[in-house]
Amino acid sequence: MKRSPVFFVIALFLLPVVLLAVSGAGVPQTLAQELTPAERAELQKQYDQLQVEIAAQQKIVTETQAKKNTLKGNVTQLDAQIKAAQAQIAAKTVTIKQLGSEIASKNKTITTLANRIEAGKESLAGMLRQESQLDDSSLAEIAFANEDISSFFADVDAFVSIKREMQALFSDIKVTKAQTQAEREALAKKQNATQDAKYAVETTKQQIAVKEAEQQQLLAITTNQEAQYQEVLAAKQAKAAAIRAALFPLRDTGAIPFGDAVVYAKTAAAKTGVRAAMILAILSQESALGTNVGNCLVTDLTTGDGKGKNTGTPFSGVMKAPRDTVPFARITAALGKDWRTTPVSCPQPGGYGGAMGPTQFIPSTWELFEGRIEAALGVPATNPWNAEHAIMATALYLQDVGAAGGTYTAEQNAACRYYSGGACSGGAISAYGASVVAKAAKYQQDIDFLADNS
């Protein structure tokens, strides 16, 4: 019996899918390779052993805290810190290998799904052509074209089912596209996790180098030279005191001692899960921007217009009215400030200014955070120019934009969102994020030094 071309079209769709499932054709070659179940099990075993080693070294670090101002105590503590850091690097290396295998698997799946979509599109095109032929032909023409009546009815049945087959293809392509998107999103997360792990390895290597240098200095001092050790200890304590006393700049607010800033930031970190160093880095970056772009004063609450604080240059749209001018008037009045003499940020091309204090929140945004700041600090009212309040506000905002957890990519994208409202996307936005992450690394070193020498 003569078969309708529709059956060949369906076969063309199914064949590539079967071949892909069997042979894995079309999979790109990548540096990472999928691991066998045995290899995955071995890696997991290594990872678990490393976690036990890290815990053991951390226990030694904790136990030697009370003895750290003695030569033996400090050497023991440094040795444990170095070994714990080395074990952490080894654990991260295992994680990177595991992620590499998962990335290779995701790439393979995405390629398979993409090929399935293309095969479906080709089949759909064939069906559309076949349907067009049916539309252009009458049943009589189809009947005369067949050799016998049974062939005629067989072809009519095939053509009647073509729309049903097309609908099934549409549905399959739609589902496959959704699967592909889910796989791509999962792949992006794995890639970010790999980048985070590599950054953690490099950071930990730097920490080990510092600890090893300090350890070598102490090992050069014998137990008969305790006086010499006390000189080293005194020098470290003097450095710690200098770090604490150094002024931490805050935009539109008087600088405060770095030690106070660390205390406020640690309190905020405990409430939000955002690293203290990250909080300080954002505030430092905003202070630097304040030096570069200057400040403005609002001169008209009705229009939001104003002028340069130092130059007197007129500016339109210093603050958006009434969205920000109304809460700005309320906030300043509650604090006994004159809104006419209270500096805010100047407008930038294509937007408004009006941001207040170290956090650089616009008044309407500060209003959204007032209740959360009051609850976190246990205060009855908030002040955008108060250092402790500003630091808590920054931490809460960073928590909202994904900085909690402290991974490299999460913090970098959170910094970009703090600056622009969106994730890092190149240009000035990404430069801002990179600068914040670099500052956070420096502040983390100072915070760690203070913790070790308190």
Side-chain angles (χ1 to χ4, degrees):
M1 181 174 64
K2 182 179 175 183
R3 305 296 292 178
S4 168
V6 69
F7 294 105
F8 294 101
V9 175
I10 295 171
L12 284 174
F13 168 64
L14 294 176
L15 181 59
V17 177
V18 174
L19 289 176
L20 281 170
V22 174
S23 67
V27 177
Q29 296 298 315
T30 60
L31 292 177
Q33 294 182 347
E34 290 185 79
L35 298 173
T36 65
E39 289 171 333
R40 282 197 296 270
E42 179 59 28
L43 277 179
Q44 188 61 49
K45 181 180 177 181
Q46 293 177 23
Y47 182 84
D48 293 340
Q49 290 173 342
L50 288 166
Q51 294 304 312
V52 172
E53 183 179 342
I54 291 170
Q57 297 302 328
Q58 292 290 2
K59 182 179 179 181
I60 295 174
V61 172
T62 302
E63 290 174 348
T64 54
Q65 283 290 325
K67 305 175 184 178
K68 67 180 179 180
N69 287 339
T70 66
L71 178 58
K72 182 178 179 180
N74 257 355
V75 171
T76 303
Q77 185 183 43
L78 284 169
D79 184 64
Q81 288 174 334
I82 291 169
K83 288 179 179 178
Q86 289 170 335
Q88 287 169 354
I89 288 177
K92 288 294 183 184
T93 302
V94 170
T95 299
I96 290 169
K97 188 171 182 179
Q98 290 171 325
L99 287 168
S101 173
E102 292 171 8
I103 287 171
S105 177
K106 292 295 180 187
N107 277 322
K108 182 177 179 179
T109 301
I110 288 170
T111 301
T112 301
L113 290 170
N115 287 339
R116 181 179 176 85
I117 289 173
E118 287 305 310
K121 287 180 178 178
E122 291 175 7
S123 298
L124 190 58
M127 286 187 178
L128 287 171
R129 287 192 296 270
Q130 188 67 23
E131 185 183 52
S132 177
Q133 293 174 13
L134 175 62
D135 291 341
D136 294 338
S137 303
S138 67
L139 288 177
E141 290 174 330
I142 297 174
F144 284 121
N146 283 274
E147 298 174 358
D148 55 60
I149 195 67
S150 60
S151 297
F152 165 71
F153 281 113
D155 280 347
V156 169
D157 288 341
F159 283 128
V160 168
S161 68
I162 193 170
K163 281 187 170 59
R164 185 164 54 252
E165 301 292 347
M166 287 176 62
Q167 185 60 41
L169 260 180
F170 274 123
S171 178
D172 185 78
I173 291 173
K174 183 178 179 180
V175 170
T176 306
K177 281 186 174 181
Q179 291 174 340
T180 303
Q181 180 61 29
E183 290 292 335
R184 290 189 186 281
E185 291 173 358
L187 174 62
K189 290 180 180 179
K190 298 296 183 184
Q191 290 171 330
N192 282 345
T194 302
Q195 188 176 4
D196 293 338
K198 289 179 178 178
Y199 179 79
V201 167
E202 292 306 314
T203 302
T204 306
K205 284 181 180 179
Q206 294 172 9
Q207 294 171 348
I208 289 176
V210 172
K211 296 291 185 185
E212 286 179 334
E214 188 176 353
Q215 185 185 47
Q216 290 303 314
Q217 181 185 22
L218 294 181
L219 289 174
I221 303 172
T222 67
T223 55
N224 295 326
Q225 295 173 307
E226 186 68 22
Q228 185 178 348
Y229 167 70
Q230 290 301 325
E231 291 178 5
V232 173
L233 179 61
K236 290 170 63 178
Q237 291 174 338
K239 180 181 177 181
I243 291 174
R244 290 190 190 92
L247 292 180
F248 181 74
L250 291 172
R251 184 169 176 174
D252 298 341
T253 302
I256 62 173
F258 182 74
D260 292 350
V262 170
V263 171
Y264 296 153
K266 285 187 172 181
T267 298
K271 294 287 184 180
T272 62
V274 180
R275 273 199 309 153
M278 180 65 180
I279 300 168
L280 297 181
I282 284 284
L283 291 169
S284 174
Q285 186 78 355
E286 289 297 324
S287 295
L289 285 177
T291 301
N292 295 333
V293 304
N295 293 312
C296 279
L297 300 173
V298 177
T299 56
D300 189 334
L301 290 177
T302 303
T303 62
D305 294 340
K307 63 181 181 180
K309 175 185 173 184
N310 299 319
T311 64
T313 303
F315 284 100
S316 61
V318 166
M319 188 175 286
K320 185 172 183 178
R323 182 194 69 186
D324 292 313
T325 54
V326 171
F328 181 59
R330 179 190 62 77
I331 291 168
T332 51
L335 296 171
K337 289 177 171 287
D338 185 346
W339 60 266
R340 299 172 185 81
T341 59
T342 301
V344 295
S345 66
C346 295
Q348 298 300 303
Y352 294 93
M356 310 177 297
T359 56
Q360 286 297 280
F361 283 12
I362 57 176
S364 55
T365 300
W366 184 265
E367 276 192 320
L368 297 176
F369 282 82
E370 283 181 318
R372 295 171 65 186
I373 298 168
E374 291 167 1
L377 293 176
V379 295
T382 65
N383 179 351
W385 293 273
N386 177 287
E388 185 176 13
H389 297 189
I391 287 173
M392 181 59 73
T394 296
L396 290 167
Y397 191 92
L398 287 171
Q399 179 188 34
D400 290 350
V401 294
T407 64
Y408 172 76
T409 53
E411 289 188 342
Q412 187 178 44
N413 280 313
C416 290
R417 292 187 185 100
Y418 192 100
Y419 178 66
S420 68
C424 299
S425 57
I429 296 174
S430 292
Y432 179 97
S435 179
V436 168
V437 171
K439 285 186 176 183
K442 172 61 173 62
Y443 284 133
Q444 189 63 58
Q445 290 177 358
D446 288 341
I447 291 171
D448 291 344
F449 186 84
L450 291 179
D452 288 341
N453 297 279
S454 59

